[in-house]
Amino acid sequence: MKERDVPKELQILRILRSRMNFNEEEESYYQYKEKGYEGEISFDKWAEPLKDMIFLNDVNLSVNNNHFQNDSLGISAGTLHIFEVKNLEGDYTIDKEGKWRSPKGNIVKNPLLQLEKAETLMNQLLKNMGWRVKVEPHLVFVNPEFHLYNVPSHLPIIYPAQLLRFREKMLQRCSKPTRFEIQIAERLLSILIEEIPYSSVPDYTYDGLRKGIVCPGCQKFYNSPIYTTFYCDGCDYKEETTTAVLRSIKEFKVLFPTRHLTTNQVFDWCGIFRDKRTIRTILKKNFKHKGRSAASHYY
Ligand SMILES: [Zn+2]
């Protein structure tokens, strides 16, 4: 019932990455986010055959003033499954104090604590709503190159090698949601909130960003179009000017949601056109116009 979009934070990082220089820390944060999203997509593929489950993906809720972020909620008759999806790679260990360590030996966030918090908040929310549904948490590792050492048993962990069997079990166990579960899903959908502000996105200003149109294939900037087509010399991608400009406007709105869309603005952002005619035509065709003279803009 709720499809997964590219998270806003990742959208911003992707756009910024081609228009400014990331330092090492920013680059590794970006890679981390990209990898997490990749893991969620492969989880979605895995979950496709589970037709008797209602899925709400990439869910943000506020429960008793706590923010609750979840990769995937699956609702079947009588049970609400919380899936926390991880795309970690390499040999991880749980040390004697119960801390999780990366292949390099660094302490990493314990995903079980995150899952536990999610479970608590979900239970609170269901109770607030007056619904009696069982909550079942699952920590799912999707990367076949992942291994975890020294794991106490009976933790709600699904390893990559167990994914198929786990799905078989789900298929047998889960029965079709009833009107009751559908109502729960609809109610949850109606109280979703925005992603929390992204504190780890690098600071950026309009003036500090490179202007131009970025190729969606290889993230290089286009050269001038030939007639009405851009030809990327980085990857041979070919794109109509209109499509490319509309895409760039979308990127602009993601980064600067409050700035007005004007011919001059889009002309400057796209950077590559010799005159404003093309921009004006595209704006007129695809947007509505509002206001007069200096304050006029498109929306
Ligand atoms: Zn390209």
Side-chain angles (χ1 to χ4, degrees), residues 214-222 231-238:
V214 178
C215 164
C218 68
Q219 276 70 50
K220 267 183 73 172
F221 283 93
Y222 283 148
Y231 296 88
C232 176
D233 60 9
C235 73
D236 291 332
Y237 193 82
K238 204 174 100 178

Side-chain angles (χ1 to χ4, degrees), residues 59-281:
V59 165
N60 286 273
L61 292 163
S62 174
V63 185
N64 301 346
N65 289 322
N66 283 299
H67 187 265
F68 169 87
Q69 195 281 328
N70 174 254
D71 297 329
S72 204
L73 295 177
I75 308 171
S76 61
T79 312
L80 187 146
H81 300 268
I82 302 179
F83 297 102
E84 183 64 42
V85 180
K86 292 286 168 204
N87 193 13
L88 299 178
E89 196 176 321
D91 294 321
Y92 282 69
T93 326
I94 299 182
D95 70 13
K96 282 181 194 129
E97 286 122 49
K99 296 211 164 66
W100 286 50
R101 288 185 183 272
S102 73
K104 285 182 183 157
N106 300 325
I107 294 177
V108 294
K109 256 197 219 159
N110 178 349
L112 286 169
L113 294 179
Q114 206 178 331
L115 186 64
E116 224 168 81
K117 185 186 160 202
E119 186 187 0
T120 311
L121 291 176
M122 203 64 221
N123 272 318
Q124 280 175 12
L125 179 68
L126 293 171
K127 203 176 147 203
N128 293 350
M129 302 284 191
W131 293 324
R132 298 187 67 171
V133 183
K134 199 176 141 214
V135 173
E136 245 183 66
H138 310 278
L139 177 57
V140 184
F141 291 99
V142 290
N143 196 314
E145 294 300 319
F146 171 79
H147 190 73
L148 183 61
Y149 287 96
N150 301 335
V151 197
S153 49
H154 307 304
L155 291 177
I157 297 180
I158 314 297
Y159 296 98
Q162 296 176 305
L163 275 168
L164 289 181
R165 268 172 287 145
F166 177 58
R167 188 173 61 197
E168 275 311 306
K169 233 166 62 187
M170 285 289 205
L171 280 169
Q172 284 164 15
R173 266 186 54 195
C174 298
S175 39
K176 252 201 174 72
T178 64
R179 188 66 218 142
F180 175 60
E181 281 86 18
I182 295 171
Q183 269 170 8
I184 291 179
E186 280 167 349
R187 185 82 178 95
L188 287 175
L189 267 184
S190 75
I191 57 170
L192 292 185
I193 57 166
E194 289 279 308
E195 271 176 61
I196 22 166
Y198 347 95
S199 50
S200 304
V201 164
D203 285 331
Y204 61 92
T205 59
Y206 180 81
D207 291 332
L209 297 178
R210 284 192 280 273
K211 311 299 186 294
I213 298 183
V214 178
C215 164
C218 68
Q219 276 70 50
K220 267 183 73 172
F221 283 93
Y222 283 148
N223 294 319
S224 302
I226 301 170
Y227 298 107
T228 57
T229 310
F230 284 107
Y231 296 88
C232 176
D233 60 9
C235 73
D236 291 332
Y237 193 82
K238 204 174 100 178
E239 191 177 23
E240 292 293 311
T241 42
T242 305
T243 321
V245 168
L246 290 176
R247 200 167 46 71
S248 301
I249 291 176
K250 221 182 234 172
E251 294 181 358
F252 172 77
K253 288 309 272 182
V254 170
L255 295 186
F256 306 102
T258 57
R259 277 179 90 124
H260 277 167
L261 220 52
T262 63
T263 307
N264 284 337
Q265 177 65 81
V266 177
F267 178 73
D268 186 62
W269 179 247
C270 291
I272 192 76
F273 293 99
R274 241 171 278 149
D275 64 75
K276 294 172 188 165
R277 230 175 11 189
T278 315
I279 303 285
R280 192 171 294 123
T281 314

Side-chain angles (χ1 to χ4, degrees), residues 27-37 86 88:
E27 176 64 19
S28 75
Y29 183 69
Y30 160 73
Q31 295 292 351
Y32 167 77
K33 283 284 152 186
E34 201 65 81
K35 195 155 187 191
Y37 180 60
K86 292 286 168 204
L88 299 178

